Structure formats: structure tokens, C-alpha cells
């Protein structure tokens, strides 16, 4: 089986063949750190975390770069620097603001069990390289300077628009914002911006004091750490244009090598009430707020239950559903663990073993098919149903098979960042003991014919999502 992924550059499902055998260089655009991380950001970074885990599972040696944007990301409408504006509002030095939110960002990602990138380069740490890149673009005739601003001349780059399929005329006609008077063409974009009175960020450059544009930062940092040609570059789909389009133009104009990026991967949005979750729209739920209600695994399960290229809507209903599904998957493992060890292997166990092999193959097939996480989860659920049937009919299991199942669940769950074989965090073993105790007390009540009280316990447990089942061999329970 080979890994196939959907390349946004050509809209095709392509076999993944990196530039260097078995090695993958991946760059994902990082956050602009001036506010709390919200669940929309988390969707993108958890999805890329799963992608990276899968590449590693498939034996690739991965170098993962995710930058931190700490200067140059301007608001589209007013042209103000997002970090500069917030730091002025909060009356703190912009670097203090960056430091604070960068730490919060990493903390949130750690809580979501997102693996840290191998390198987290900050734009402000690469000003020398950025100035060199801008100089080169001017030398090569792709850029021009006017009054301390340097612009990329889009008309000089033949393939401009190849990623977003944007049409320059349409783009000019559709522009809602005032065009900078120094631009040669309305669609040209800034590589270096002249610092104005009061701008908090400024560095000396051949064009006077200024600061870099957001797009050039990513071209420079990705090629610095991954070489002139990068295997995978990603972000959410709003970055396709202009950010990634401009990155291609800059990098290919500087290095002369094509393509700058072999595979472009873009995640779809996380929405809330059907609308993109965004800081600017004020409709966001921070990762912290979400984690007060749901544990990290539930959030990860929620993200994984939808393909990274499909929209996902954040709602209590959907999160509750994710929590219940994850519990039911974990509950099968609890049932498995409860089975006593046995040496023999029955015919039924032989079948279960074959099912396990099939499950693994199906999981792998789904993940190799453009990281189809819902398909991979479906394979696990299919097996968990079989496991539940087995556990309801047997009180022991062949030890070797039990270990095999646990190992497979640990390994495959691990790809999605789920700890399927670990006890539930909320309450964990203690919770199970309390449930068992209630079931025992209920049995006593039933013996005494106190059906009212026994039904009351059953109903109360049901309200908490715990279902009890009276069977011949005794009363069993599971999470709904
Ligand atoms: P920003 O900090 O705004 O630059 O965003 C960091 C990353 O999160 C970028 O790749 C964004 O496109 C992505 N992102 C922001 N909002 C959402 C959302 N609602 N759903 C998915 N990804 C998002
Ligand atoms: Zn970027």
C-alpha cells in the first residue's frame, strides 16, 4: 500500500513520494501570537499532528517546522499590525505580548497532546535572512522599492495564481481595500514595510527602518530549515490565498527551483453555528474554555471523526456525541481487560484474531487514503462491536490474543493521539468501583423485592450515561 494525499496545488489525489527517500520535510504555518488559541486553530494543528503521526507510523523520518508569527501580520482592512495593535491597547511591549501568548499556545497544544514541532522559528529571529531574501528579489527584478516600502511585482512572476487559481483581473476588480499609492500593480504585495511613526517594530535595512511582510517570513523560514524544496506545506484553507500563493512566488523567484513545495495540504474550517470560528468575528471558544467542559481526548476524537478537508461544526451536541463514542470504544477495552486469562484458543478466538488483523489493515488503508480518520475510526468501531459480543459470551480470553488486541488498540489509537487502553481520566478506576458498588446495592434491593428503589438506581445511572443490563450471568454495565 502506498500513501496517497490530496494535493491542493492540482486538486488531485497523488501518491506521496518525498524528494529524499524516507525523509519528509514539513512546514505548517504557525499562529500569530497576540491572543488566546481557539478551537478553530486547534482543529488545524491537531489534524496536522495526526498527519505527522501517520507519516512516522509509515516509517518516514520527519522534520516538522512550524513558525511563530511575531511580526508583520497585518489586518486586511486597516493595515495595522495585529500584534502592535493589541500591545498598544494593553500598554505592554509587543514582545511581552508575544511571549505571553506563545507560551499559552504551547501550553494549549501540550494539553491537547499535540507533538511539539522540531523547530519553532520566530520571524523576528530571522530579520537578517529576510533582508537578504528581499535584496535578492530586487536584484533579480522581481521586486521594487518606493519610499522605504518594497513590493513584489506580481506581473513578473509568470505562474502567479497556480495554487489558488486566482485571476489577476478578477482580483483587482474585487479588491475591497484601498490600493497603496506606491504599488505598480494593485495586486503587488509588500515584502518590506516602512515603519511609521509609533510602529513598535522596526529594524534597519537598506531601505530604511521597517519590518518584514508576513508572506516573506514563511518563504524564508521554510527554506532555511528544509532546503529550497519542501515536501509538504500546510495550513488551513484561508491561507491558500494570498499567503501561500505569495510564498510560492517569492521562494521560486529567489531559488529558481520548481516546485518550492511538492504537496500543499489545506485543512477545512471549524465552524460554530455554521460560521467560521475566527477572532475577528468574535465567535470563538478558546481551547481553555473547551477543555473546561471536555477532556483533551474528546476534543481530539471530535476532530478525528471528520476528515481534515471537511467542515466540522463545534457544538455541545457534537462534542457530547464525540464523548459518548469515545467512551463506548474505551468501554470495549475495559470489558476485554476484565476477561480472565486462558491458555487455550477457541475457534471463536481464532476468528477474533483474524478480525483484528483485518481491522489493522482497514485502519491503515483508510489512513493511507489521504489521512481518512473517520474511516480509520470506523474500522476500530467495527472491531469493538465484535469484542463486545465476545465479552458478553465469554468470561476468559487467550492471554496472547488479549495482549495483541491491547497492543493494536494502543498503536492505532496512538496515531490519532487517543489513549484507548488507558483508564478514563475522569474518575478512572474509582468511578468504576462506585458503579460496581451501586450495582451490588441494587442487587440486594432486588432480592428484597424493592423494585422501586432498584429502578431508581438504574434510572439515575442512565441519566449519567451508564447503562446497566440484567443478564442470566449477572448484571453488566457500560457507558452509553
Ligand atoms: P492565525 O493565528 O490566525 O494566523 O491562524 C493560525 C492557523 O489556524 C492558520 O493556519 C489558520 O488558517 C488556522 N485557523 C484559524 N481559524 C481556523 C478555523 N476556524 N478552522 C480551522 N483552522 C483555522
Ligand atoms: Zn505561513
Amino acid at each position: 500500500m502506498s500513501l496517497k494525499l490530496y494535493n491542493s496545488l492540482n486538486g488531485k489525489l497523488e501518491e506521496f513520494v518525498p524528494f529524499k527517500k524516507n525523509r519528509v520535510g514539513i512546514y505548517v504555518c504557525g499562529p500569530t501570537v497576540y491572543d488566546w488559541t481557539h478551537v478553530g486553530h486547534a482543529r488545524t494543528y491537531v489534524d496536522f499532528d495526526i498527519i505527522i503521526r501517520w507519516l512516522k507510523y509509515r516509517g518516514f523520518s520527519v522534520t516538522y517546522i512550524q513558525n511563530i508569527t511575531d511580526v508583520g501580520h497585518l489586518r486586511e482592512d486597516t493595515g495595522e499590525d495585529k500584534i502592535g495593535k493589541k500591545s498598544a491597547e494593553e500598554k505592554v511591549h509587543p514582545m511581552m505580548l508575544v511571549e505571553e501568548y506563545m507560551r499559552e499556545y504551547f501550553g494549549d497544544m501540550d494539553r491537547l497532546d499535540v507533538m511539539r514541532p522540531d523547530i519553532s522559528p520566530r520571524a523576528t529571529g530571522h530579520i537578517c535572512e529576510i533582508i537578504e531574501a528581499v535584496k535578492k528579489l530586487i536584484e533579480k527584478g522581481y521586486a521594487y522599492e518606493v519610499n522605504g516600502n518594497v513590493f513584489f511585482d506580481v506581473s513578473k512572476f509568470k505562474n502567479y495564481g497556480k495554487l489558488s487559481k486566482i485571476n489577476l483581473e478578477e482580483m483587482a476588480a474585487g479588491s475591497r481595500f484601498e490600493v497603496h499609492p506606491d504599488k505598480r500593480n494593485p495586486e503587488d504585495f509588500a515584502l518590506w514595510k516602512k515603519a511609521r511613526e509609533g510602529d513598535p517594530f522596526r529594524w534597519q535595512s537598506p531601505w530604511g527602518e521597517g519590518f518584514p511582510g508576513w508572506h516573506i517570513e514563511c518563504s524564508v523560514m521554510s527554506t532555511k530549515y528544509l532546503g529550497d524544496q519542501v515536501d509538504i506545506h500546510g495550513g488551513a484553507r484561508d491561507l491558500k490565498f494570498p499567503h501561500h500563493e505569495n510564498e510560492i512566488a517569492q521562494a521560486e523567484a529567489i531559488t529558481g527551483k520548481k516546485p518550492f513545495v511538492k504537496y500543499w495540504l489545506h485543512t477545512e474550517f471549524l465552524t460554530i453555528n455554521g460560521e467560521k470560528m475566527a477572532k475577528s468575528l468574535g465567535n470563538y471558544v478558546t481551547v481553555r474554555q473547551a477543555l473546561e467542559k471536555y477532556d483533551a481526548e474528546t476534543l481530539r476524537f471530535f476532530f478525528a471523526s471528520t476528515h481534515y478537508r471537511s467542515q466540522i461544526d463545534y457544538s455541545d451536541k457534537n462534542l457530547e456525541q464525540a464523548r459518548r463514542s469515545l467512551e463506548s470504544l474505551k468501554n470495549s477495552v475495559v470489558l476485554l481487560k476484565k476477561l480472565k486469562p486462558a491458555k487455550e484458543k477457541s475457534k471463536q478466538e481464532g476468528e477474533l484474531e483474524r478480525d483484528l488483523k483485518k481491522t489493522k489493515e482497514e485502519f491503515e488503508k483508510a489512513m493511507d487514503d489521504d489521512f481518512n480518520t473517520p474511516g480509520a475510526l470506523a474500522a476500530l468501531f467495527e472491531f469493538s462491536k465484535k469484542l463486545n459480543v465476545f465479552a458478553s459470551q465469554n468470561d476468559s480470553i487467550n492471554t496472547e490474543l488479549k495482549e495483541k488486541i491491547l497492543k493494536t488498540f494502543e498503536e492505532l489509537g496512538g496515531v490519532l493521539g487517543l489513549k484507548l487502553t488507558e483508564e478514563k481520566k475522569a474518575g478512572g478506576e474509582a468511578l468504576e468501583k462506585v458503579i460496581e458498588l451501586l450495582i451490588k446495592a441494587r442487587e440486594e434491593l432486588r432480592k428484597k423485592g424493592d423494585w422501586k428503589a432498584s429502578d431508581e438506581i438504574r434510572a439515575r445511572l442512565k441519566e449519567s450515561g451508564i447503562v446497566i443490563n440484567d443478564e442470566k450471568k449477572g448484571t453488566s454495565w457500560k457507558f452509553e
Side-chain angles (χ1 to χ4, degrees):
M1 254 320 275
S2 63
L3 171 61
K4 292 207 170 64
L5 45 85
Y6 179 87
N7 193 349
S8 310
L9 192 61
N10 53 22
K12 285 189 188 139
L13 201 62
E14 291 186 327
E15 188 177 336
F16 179 61
V17 185
F19 285 110
K20 289 191 192 126
K21 201 165 181 264
N22 297 333
R23 302 183 77 86
V24 183
I26 173 166
Y27 185 94
V28 175
C29 291
T32 306
V33 280
Y34 68 102
D35 213 330
W36 299 99
T37 310
H38 61 63
V39 196
H41 300 128
R43 194 254 165 126
T44 288
Y45 296 121
V46 168
D47 283 356
F48 276 105
D49 183 59
I50 294 174
I51 287 171
I52 285 158
R53 284 174 194 244
W54 187 248
L55 291 169
K56 288 185 175 170
Y57 179 97
R58 277 306 192 203
F60 291 105
S61 159
V62 181
T63 307
Y64 178 25
I65 315 292
Q66 188 197 108
N67 71 297
I68 291 286
T69 301
D70 55 358
V71 63
H73 197 168
L74 308 184
R75 279 174 61 131
E76 224 190 308
D77 48 358
T78 59
E80 291 164 293
D81 185 294
K82 293 185 178 190
I83 295 169
K85 184 174 186 293
K86 182 90 185 279
S87 69
E89 280 164 14
E90 297 203 355
K91 298 192 175 53
V92 293
H93 193 282
M95 277 299 122
M96 269 170 76
L97 191 84
V98 161
E99 202 65 42
E100 184 189 342
Y101 285 112
M102 189 176 63
R103 287 179 198 170
E104 295 296 349
Y105 167 71
F106 282 123
D108 286 341
M109 291 301 115
D110 288 349
R111 279 185 279 276
L112 289 173
D113 208 11
V114 169
M115 288 181 303
R116 293 244 179 152
D118 295 301
I119 307 175
S120 305
R122 286 168 63 169
T124 52
H126 296 76
I127 301 296
C128 295
E129 289 91 332
I130 292 169
I131 291 175
E132 284 310 305
V134 177
K135 273 175 30 189
K136 212 173 257 174
L137 285 170
I138 296 176
E139 271 163 36
K140 288 189 156 193
Y142 286 101
Y144 56 94
E145 185 253 339
V146 187
N147 295 327
N149 288 304
V150 183
F151 298 102
F152 188 96
D153 186 342
V154 167
S155 67
K156 295 276 163 60
F157 188 74
K158 232 176 53 224
N159 286 321
Y160 191 79
K162 68 177 171 180
L163 173 69
S164 58
K165 319 288 179 277
I166 199 107
N167 174 314
L168 287 185
E169 282 100 60
E170 273 170 23
M171 191 180 139
S175 177
R176 287 172 291 142
F177 308 112
E178 210 179 304
V179 177
H180 195 289
D182 293 338
K183 281 185 184 179
R184 282 185 198 161
N185 316 292
E187 53 280 0
D188 290 352
F189 57 89
L191 297 167
W192 186 262
K193 305 222 32 145
K194 180 190 169 86
R196 291 160 301 190
E197 180 91 18
D199 270 338
F201 291 106
R202 47 183 73 228
W203 287 267
Q204 273 305 335
S205 79
W207 320 286
E209 270 193 340
F211 58 92
W214 172 39
H215 315 303
I216 190 73
E217 298 173 1
C218 281
S219 294
V220 166
M221 290 187 279
S222 54
T223 49
K224 174 170 169 112
Y225 297 106
L226 296 173
D228 289 350
Q229 292 186 296
V230 176
D231 294 305
I232 301 176
H233 194 320
R237 85 162 157 85
D238 56 336
L239 297 194
K240 248 195 221 177
F241 184 83
H243 189 54
H244 290 161
E245 194 67 65
N246 293 351
E247 273 193 58
I248 295 176
Q250 296 159 154
E252 292 187 1
I254 292 169
T255 67
K257 288 194 189 139
K258 283 187 192 121
F260 155 50
V261 171
K262 201 165 181 188
Y263 305 93
W264 283 95
L265 262 54
H266 290 102
T267 51
E268 191 36 82
F269 295 145
L270 175 135
T271 56
I272 186 159
N273 300 318
E275 192 177 40
K276 184 196 172 196
M277 185 179 282
K279 276 176 222 167
S280 56
L281 297 173
N283 61 354
Y284 59 94
V285 176
T286 64
V287 169
R288 275 174 178 230
Q289 287 166 335
L291 284 174
E292 276 168 19
K293 269 184 147 172
Y294 308 100
D295 61 30
E297 255 187 301
T298 298
L299 277 165
R300 289 195 69 119
F301 184 95
F302 165 66
F303 296 138
S305 61
T306 297
H307 187 250
Y308 76 92
R309 285 192 291 113
S310 298
Q311 197 167 297
I312 187 169
D313 199 56
Y314 184 89
S315 68
D316 281 331
K317 184 171 152 271
N318 291 347
L319 264 294
E320 217 26 73
Q321 164 76 36
R323 190 189 62 76
R324 264 190 257 126
S325 302
L326 176 62
E327 287 288 2
S328 93
L329 202 53
K330 285 191 159 200
N331 194 45
S332 303
V333 179
V334 172
L335 293 177
L336 170 73
K337 282 187 177 173
K338 277 188 188 152
L339 295 175
K340 293 190 204 90
K343 277 200 182 131
E344 307 306 320
K345 199 186 283 175
S346 66
K347 199 167 151 241
Q348 197 185 4
E349 283 165 309
E351 256 171 50
L352 198 62
E353 193 161 13
R354 278 192 292 282
D355 284 334
L356 181 71
K357 189 164 170 273
K358 218 173 105 205
T359 300
K360 192 168 172 172
E361 283 165 7
E362 276 170 8
F363 184 102
E364 290 176 345
K365 200 169 137 204
M367 289 302 286
D368 278 340
D369 179 19
D370 193 30
F371 315 102
N372 179 1
T373 49
L377 279 172
L380 291 180
F381 272 106
E382 204 49 46
F383 185 78
S384 93
K385 270 194 238 156
K386 291 184 174 132
L387 199 54
N388 291 352
V389 171
F390 182 89
S392 70
Q393 295 169 347
N394 298 273
D395 53 15
S396 67
I397 188 166
N398 171 268
T399 309
E400 206 187 302
L401 176 59
K402 184 177 184 175
E403 288 307 315
K404 232 178 176 177
I405 298 173
L406 288 173
K407 195 169 158 277
T408 307
F409 264 62
E410 192 184 330
E411 201 182 11
L412 302 183
V415 167
L416 307 173
L418 305 175
K419 297 184 177 77
L420 298 179
T421 56
E422 283 185 18
E423 302 296 340
K424 291 169 296 298
K425 270 201 202 111
E429 257 179 84
L431 174 67
E432 276 177 44
K433 282 199 178 127
V434 173
I435 297 170
E436 308 269 3
L437 201 69
L438 279 167
I439 288 175
K440 259 212 177 105
R442 183 171 165 272
E443 258 163 31
E444 293 304 317
L445 291 167
R446 275 155 61 93
K447 272 186 206 156
K448 286 184 201 152
D450 191 346
W451 306 111
K452 195 167 168 258
S454 100
D455 285 347
E456 171 85 17
I457 292 181
R458 177 207 284 271
R460 288 292 185 91
L461 284 171
K462 177 100 186 7
E463 278 171 21
S464 313
I466 296 149
V467 183
I468 57 177
N469 213 348
D470 296 316
E471 296 160 22
K472 256 196 196 151
K473 64 173 192 171
T475 302
S476 65
W477 67 271
K478 61 175 186 178
F479 289 110
E480 212 173 15

